[in-house]
Amino acid sequence: MTRQQEFTPSRRQFARLAATSLAVALSAASLAMLPTSAGAIGVAVPLGTASSYAVLAGQSVTNTGPSTINGDLGVSPGTAVSGFPPGTVNGTIHSADANSLQAQSDLTTAYNDAAGQAPDASISGDLGGQTLTAGVYKAPSSIGLTGTLTLDAQGDPNAVFIFQIGSTLTTASASRVLLVNGAQPCNVYWQVGSSATLGTASTFVGNILALTSITVTTNTTINGRALARNGSVTLDSDTITPSTCATGGTTGGTTGGTTGGTTGGTTGGTTGGTTGGTTGGTTGGTTGGTTGGTTGGTTGGTTGGSTGGTTGGTVPCPPVPCPPVPCPPAPCPPHPW
């Protein structure tokens, strides 16, 4: 009988097994240390009274050309506002008054709120060409935007996008922020640690909350707000329109009320018209038929009776005395006389 050969690992095989085990352990440890993707935790930033402002600055607001500001414009604690006209403000200009002072206080609160929210992901460099879903995105330093940045709400109209930028925000000429799948401009916030500069003919979306200044170059459109805490806002032939979020309750209430009112009005009108028409027709028909029948019967009976009676009553009697009744054919019976 042949004895089976016992397997005894060599020293080289032991070393190879040990190396493999160590590599697996290090790989597992590395995976455990990688940051996991957090759910979108950003919440809407409360702007307070600053929400009525399209433009708000700490030191001054300067405009060149026919800019259109569709909202309030204010400066506090500074007082300088220039360039209106030729610029147009479809709102109220507040210069170092109680209203702009309160708006600056609320802006500070909003800035700190946006800066203090826990980030979901880190960003750096240029945001152009990217598509981002709702969340809080943190950049330790400056951020640029060349081309198109797409913000995708994935069907949630309450999706919030917050960008925490450590230093500057700079967009290139003709760059744009594109909102898709229900994203709303009112839910986009750019918390900028120093200053923001928007390139010529760019299309920007969201609320800029800058610590220092905001420069909006020629022919730029902002669907949102340009709010600067300490420095100035400079404009040049731009259009700025602050946005307000549409709520599901308001929309649903309006839709439901309109639909209910229309349906109720239509149903009530139809029912009332049908009922009224039927009732009126029946009543009118019955009354008219009865009246017409009675009148016709009475008139016809009276006329027929009178005519018949008159006609029958006026037939002339035979002459008096009447002639003798003629005899029947012969033989005639003898007369009694």
Side-chain angles (χ1 to χ4, degrees):
M1 178 180 294
T2 303
R3 176 181 297 178
Q4 292 182 346
Q5 183 178 359
E6 295 182 358
F7 175 74
T8 304
S10 66
R11 181 177 298 176
R12 180 177 297 178
Q13 289 171 322
F14 268 124
R16 186 177 299 169
L17 290 171
T20 302
S21 300
L22 178 60
V24 171
L26 290 175
S27 178
S30 298
L31 289 174
M33 294 174 62
L34 288 175
T36 57
S37 178
I41 58 176
V43 296
V45 176
L47 296 177
T49 60
S51 63
S52 70
Y53 285 80
V55 175
L56 181 63
Q59 292 301 318
S60 65
V61 176
T62 303
N63 172 67
T64 301
S67 292
T68 300
I69 309 302
N70 295 312
D72 292 342
L73 181 150
V75 58
S76 179
T79 60
V81 177
S82 62
F84 298 94
T88 301
V89 177
N90 296 317
T92 303
I93 296 178
H94 297 277
S95 176
D97 60 6
N99 194 298
S100 57
L101 177 62
Q102 182 61 53
Q104 275 290 356
S105 177
D106 291 343
L107 172 58
T108 300
T109 300
Y111 180 94
N112 293 331
D113 182 283
Q117 295 198 35
D120 292 317
S122 295
I123 53 174
S124 62
D126 196 289
L127 298 177
Q130 298 188 42
T131 297
L132 302 177
T133 57
V136 180
Y137 297 90
K138 186 175 182 64
S141 59
S142 299
I143 283 294
L145 171 57
T146 303
T148 300
L149 167 65
T150 302
L151 303 182
D152 186 354
Q154 298 180 312
D156 180 9
N158 298 315
V160 173
F161 302 82
I162 298 176
F163 296 90
Q164 301 168 334
I165 303 170
S167 184
T168 60
L169 167 66
T170 305
T171 71
S173 297
S175 62
R176 64 173 183 163
V177 177
L178 177 64
L179 304 183
V180 298
N181 294 326
Q184 298 191 73
C186 58
N187 282 329
V188 181
Y189 304 89
W190 304 83
Q191 178 259 314
V192 182
S194 58
S195 298
T197 301
L198 305 185
T200 302
S202 57
T203 302
F204 196 79
V205 172
N207 305 286
I208 304 175
L209 316 177
L211 180 62
T212 309
S213 298
I214 301 173
T215 300
V216 187
T217 59
T218 310
N219 295 327
T220 290
T221 298
I222 300 178
N223 191 349
R225 298 170 176 84
L227 311 176
R229 289 180 56 188
N230 302 319
S232 300
V233 175
T234 303
L235 309 172
D236 184 359
S237 305
D238 307 305
T239 301
I240 304 178
T241 304
S243 62
T244 302
C245 285
T247 60
T250 302
T251 304
T254 302
T255 304
T258 303
T259 303
T262 303
T263 304
T266 302
T267 304
T270 303
T271 303
T274 303
T275 303
T278 303
T279 303
T282 302
T283 303
T286 303
T287 303
T290 303
T291 304
T294 302
T295 304
T298 303
T299 303
T302 302
T303 304
S306 299
T307 304
T310 304
T311 304
T314 55
V315 176
C317 286
V320 179
C322 293
V325 178
C327 293
C332 289
H335 286 281
W337 62 83

